[in-house]
């Protein structure tokens, strides 16, 4: 009887350590329950994305390039003075950032020729139009290109390697951001992902559920500059990580105790 109880106890612990698919698969909507009934090559449903374009913040680093089709020497000299920071970026991402233009604490960029231009609070496209409008006063056919150089976020917790990721794309979904960071481990709790988001001089804290398909329509579907994504572990983590590794020792210990109890009767 004792052996049967021991075997049942071990089986119960092993089954309790299993992680079902419903806790792993992203963006579910009863798909796992009716997998065989899902039609192939057919659009099942669509979602409207609440796209929130990134807005430039103080201390962002921008790549700003000026171009023109004009071949006049005066125009070329004017462009060379504007593009003083657009040199070689052969040093990788750090070299590219050193060649960028820093937005000051007042949200402005400063040119010796164009003066100060307010860009904080603008999208990259709005900043492009604003800078181009100022530059066109000196060169009518000028074209301006603006990109972010230091868009970054941090992923911590139950992931395949905690890290800070720097990206050139400012429209990253949460899944894309996690994928670039190496992805989540099997023991990650995808239903309670914590996000810390900077907003001016304050930090907002919220949770997202990556298991539900409705998350696609969430205003928090896209990551923002300096987001910190913290992924907690599932309850099965301590058992899977610690108990299972020591299962042989525990089983031997229990068997030894049972043997002693049996012999002492």
């Amino acid at each position: 009887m004792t052996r049967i109880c021991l075997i049942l106890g071990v089986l119960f612990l092993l089954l309790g350590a299993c992680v079902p698919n419903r806790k792993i698969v992203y963006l579910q909507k009863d798909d796992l329950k009716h997998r065989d009934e899902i039609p192939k090559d057919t659009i099942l449903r669509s979602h409207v994305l609440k796209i929130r374009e990134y807005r430039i913040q103080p201390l962002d680093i921008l790549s700003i390039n000026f171009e023109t089709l004009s071949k006049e020497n005066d125009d070329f000299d004017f462009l060379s003075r504007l593009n003083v920071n657009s040199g070689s970026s052969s040093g990788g991402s750090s070299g590219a950032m050193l060649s960028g233009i820093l937005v000051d604490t007042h949200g402005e960029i400063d040119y010796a020729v164009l003066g100060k231009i307010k860009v904080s609070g603008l999208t990259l496209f709005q900043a492009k139009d604003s800078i181009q409008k100022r530059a066109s006063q000196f060169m009518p056919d000028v074209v301006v290109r603006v990109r972010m150089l230091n868009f970054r976020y941090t992923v911590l917790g139950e992931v395949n390697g905690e890290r800070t990721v720097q990206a050139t794309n400012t429209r990253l979904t949460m899944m894309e951001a996690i994928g670039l960071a190496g992805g989540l481990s099997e023991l990650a709790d995808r239903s309670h992902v914590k996000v810390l988001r900077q907003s001016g001089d304050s930090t907002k804290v919220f949770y997202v559920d990556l298991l539900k398909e409705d998350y696609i329509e969430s205003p928090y579907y896209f990551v923002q500059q300096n987001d910190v994504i913290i992924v907690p572990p599932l309850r099965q983590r301590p058992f899977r990580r610690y108990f299972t590794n020591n299962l042989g020792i525990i089983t031997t210990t229990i068997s030894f105790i049972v043997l002693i109890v049996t012999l002492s009767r």
Side-chain angles (χ1 to χ4, degrees):
M1 184 66 181
T2 304
R3 291 182 179 179
I4 296 177
C5 293
L6 178 61
I7 295 174
L8 291 176
V10 172
L11 288 176
F12 176 78
L13 289 173
L14 291 175
L15 292 175
C18 295
V19 180
N21 287 337
R22 60 184 175 81
K23 292 187 178 182
I24 298 178
V25 179
Y26 292 102
L27 305 179
Q28 303 169 39
K29 199 175 182 67
D30 297 328
D31 297 342
L32 297 178
K33 298 179 181 178
H34 310 285
R35 184 178 302 178
D36 297 334
E37 302 174 9
I38 298 177
K40 305 302 186 291
D41 301 321
T42 301
I43 297 176
L44 298 181
R45 47 194 171 263
S46 61
H47 296 270
V48 178
L49 294 179
K50 297 180 180 179
I51 298 175
R52 302 177 66 181
E53 293 288 346
Y54 177 73
R55 295 186 178 273
I56 299 170
Q57 303 177 35
L59 304 183
D60 280 351
I61 301 176
L62 305 177
S63 168
I64 304 176
N65 291 314
F66 298 82
E67 300 175 5
T68 181
L69 293 175
S70 176
K71 296 182 179 180
E72 297 181 12
N73 290 333
D74 291 342
D75 290 344
F76 180 80
D77 292 339
F78 180 74
L79 283 181
S80 65
R81 284 185 287 171
L82 288 177
N83 288 324
V84 290
N85 292 321
S86 61
S88 173
S89 59
S90 58
S93 59
S94 59
M97 284 195 289
L98 289 174
S99 69
I101 296 178
L102 179 67
V103 181
D104 65 23
T105 55
H106 301 291
E108 298 175 330
I109 55 175
D110 193 5
Y111 282 99
V113 180
L114 303 179
K116 293 187 175 182
I117 305 175
K118 182 79 171 181
V119 295
S120 179
L122 303 180
T123 67
L124 294 178
F125 295 106
Q126 291 172 337
K128 166 189 172 300
D129 293 338
S130 180
I131 298 170
Q132 185 165 309
K133 182 178 180 180
R134 179 75 65 88
S136 63
Q137 298 175 7
F138 303 89
M139 186 181 300
D141 63 345
V142 67
V143 175
V144 180
R145 306 185 190 282
V146 181
R147 295 195 68 179
M148 274 280 296
L149 291 180
N150 68 326
F151 186 86
R152 62 184 183 182
Y153 58 92
T154 302
V155 181
L156 304 172
E158 198 63 34
V159 297
N160 296 322
E162 298 177 323
R163 69 191 71 182
T164 296
V165 179
Q166 189 163 302
T168 56
N169 180 12
T170 59
R171 189 186 291 181
L172 282 176
T173 68
M174 188 66 68
M175 268 68 67
E176 289 174 325
I178 291 173
L180 287 174
L184 305 182
S185 73
E186 182 182 351
L187 300 177
D189 188 350
R190 293 158 173 81
S191 64
H192 292 88
V193 177
K194 185 177 184 178
V195 182
L196 279 63
R197 176 164 296 174
Q198 295 184 14
S199 179
D201 57 355
S202 64
T203 299
K204 298 179 179 179
V205 180
F206 56 89
Y207 285 82
V208 298
D209 186 350
L210 304 183
L211 296 180
K212 295 182 179 179
E213 187 178 294
D214 294 339
Y215 172 61
I216 295 176
E217 299 185 6
S218 168
Y220 305 111
Y221 186 57
F222 295 92
V223 299
Q224 295 289 323
Q225 164 79 315
N226 293 324
D227 274 1
V228 178
I229 304 167
I230 303 175
V231 185
L234 290 169
R235 294 179 180 178
Q236 288 90 342
R237 178 179 179 272
F239 182 91
R240 291 281 296 274
R241 185 154 295 181
Y242 304 109
F243 181 83
T244 305
N245 293 338
N246 299 309
L247 183 59
I249 299 175
I250 295 172
T251 304
T252 303
T253 302
I254 293 175
S255 299
F256 182 71
I257 293 173
V258 171
L259 178 61
I260 293 176
V261 172
T262 303
L263 294 175
S264 62
R265 289 180 176 179

